[in-house]
Amino acid sequence: MSKVVLITGGSSGIGKSIGEYLHHKGFVVYGTSRNPEKVLNSVFPLIALDVRDTDSIVKAVAKVIAISGRLDVVINNAGVGITGPLEEIPTAEIKNNFETNFFGPIEVMKAALPQMRSQQSGLIINITSIAGYMGLPYRSIYSASKGALELITEGLRMEVKPFGIWITNVAPGDFATNIASGRFHAPLLKGSAYERAYGQTLKTMDEHVDSGSNPNEMAEAVYKIIQTPEPKIHYKVGVFMQKFSIVLKRLLPDKVYEKMLMNHYKL
């Protein structure tokens, strides 16, 4: 029997690549989008879902189960970027980021778990970020929201393991997607104390995304995880130095690591 997969944020970027890859591998794939009627080129069905709206989450999960009779894999992929000096990011934007990157995935998991418990099987893959392993300058909110999701996964994984359910994180590095265009940028304020440093860091971040890896690498990694009987807790997907930066954080003294990051961002 083909496994039934639900992917949040399946209309573009990494989510779309994962969905297309799994669709061609024979999985029954459902993606989600806030406005599915505007997406005309999807090879798999898209269901209306806004991760900031619990009611829409419950309805979307119920619709998949009603159509397919089961739910085998949930991929929490929907997310948004955010940049800026913490001092200058509107609080409303900070809350919106956590609603999308952290509280939304929690609500998706809560909606899916009863069905997975009744099946005595299931897999939830949370798409986090290598940025979630470290506090990055001018991306502190993004790092915090993704880091929080990493830790939620660790705790919840132990709670649901007795029901035959597996939960794991996949942390991508920089991939060539449209995340930079959809990211909230705190405006570069003329005369701000952060003007020069933030401007330089913003340029560096966008260059990294533009020259990022092919999203199909994430799709292949997710496929391998789905095929793994007992997935690990954490996976990292990206170029060597991005993954190695996590190892360095464990090995180096805090101030040495901080200096390394500041040199990288020319701060």
Side-chain angles (χ1 to χ4, degrees):
M1 184 184 296
S2 297
K3 287 186 176 180
V4 177
V5 181
L6 174 64
I7 306 170
T8 65
S11 62
S12 63
I14 287 173
K16 182 180 180 181
S17 294
I18 293 171
E20 289 177 346
Y21 191 90
L22 295 181
H23 170 77
H24 291 305
K25 287 289 186 180
F27 290 81
V28 178
V29 177
Y30 297 90
T32 76
S33 170
R34 282 179 293 176
N35 304 109
E37 69 282 354
K38 294 182 180 179
V39 183
L40 305 176
N41 61 346
S42 181
V43 300
F44 50 87
L46 290 173
I47 297 171
L49 184 151
D50 184 341
V51 292
R52 300 166 301 177
D53 180 350
T54 301
D55 187 52
S56 81
I57 292 169
V58 171
K59 286 179 179 176
V61 171
K63 185 172 183 178
V64 171
I65 295 167
I67 295 170
S68 297
R70 57 186 298 108
L71 181 54
D72 299 296
V73 182
V74 169
I75 301 172
N76 263 321
N77 167 73
V80 290
I82 185 169
T83 65
L86 181 65
E87 187 181 344
E88 296 176 0
I89 301 175
T91 300
E93 292 295 343
I94 295 173
K95 290 181 177 178
N96 178 67
N97 191 267
F98 268 81
E99 287 289 342
T100 306
N101 291 357
F102 181 61
F103 292 110
I106 289 174
E107 292 301 321
V108 172
M109 290 189 282
K110 288 168 72 173
L113 282 171
Q115 175 64 29
M116 290 183 171
R117 272 204 325 277
S118 72
Q119 297 169 182
Q120 286 289 297
S121 67
L123 170 65
I124 297 175
I125 300 173
N126 290 324
I127 307 297
T128 58
S129 173
I130 285 178
Y133 284 84
M134 59 203 76
L136 294 175
Y138 303 107
R139 273 199 288 181
S140 59
I141 299 302
Y142 184 73
S143 289
S145 65
K146 290 297 189 177
L149 187 57
E150 286 273 344
L151 292 178
I152 281 284
T153 301
E154 290 183 5
L156 180 59
R157 178 180 163 106
M158 291 183 277
E159 296 173 13
V160 300
K161 224 175 179 182
F163 306 114
I165 302 168
W166 294 86
I167 304 187
T168 185
N169 288 314
V170 181
D174 291 318
F175 281 83
T177 69
N178 60 353
I179 188 171
S181 61
R183 171 195 293 153
F184 172 80
H185 295 288
L188 199 57
L189 300 175
K190 197 72 179 168
S192 164
Y194 305 100
E195 182 182 1
R196 184 202 63 80
Y198 175 40
Q200 176 58 48
T201 304
L202 203 54
K203 183 181 174 186
T204 302
M205 286 189 289
D206 288 344
E207 286 171 355
H208 287 172
V209 171
D210 291 340
S211 62
S213 304
N214 189 319
N216 283 339
E217 290 180 31
M218 274 291 290
E220 290 169 6
V222 166
Y223 173 69
K224 287 177 184 175
I225 292 167
I226 293 173
Q227 300 297 91
T228 302
E230 298 185 0
K232 297 189 297 184
I233 304 171
H234 302 285
Y235 293 87
K236 293 93 177 171
V237 183
V239 299
F240 172 78
M241 280 310 298
Q242 290 171 350
K243 292 186 285 186
F244 189 54
S245 66
I246 299 172
V247 178
L248 288 177
K249 189 171 195 284
R250 289 200 300 264
L251 298 176
L252 296 175
D254 288 348
K255 286 185 177 180
V256 174
Y257 190 77
E258 179 187 63
K259 186 171 180 58
M260 185 187 78
L261 282 179
M262 293 186 77
N263 287 339
H264 176 73
Y265 286 103
K266 301 178 177 65
L267 298 177

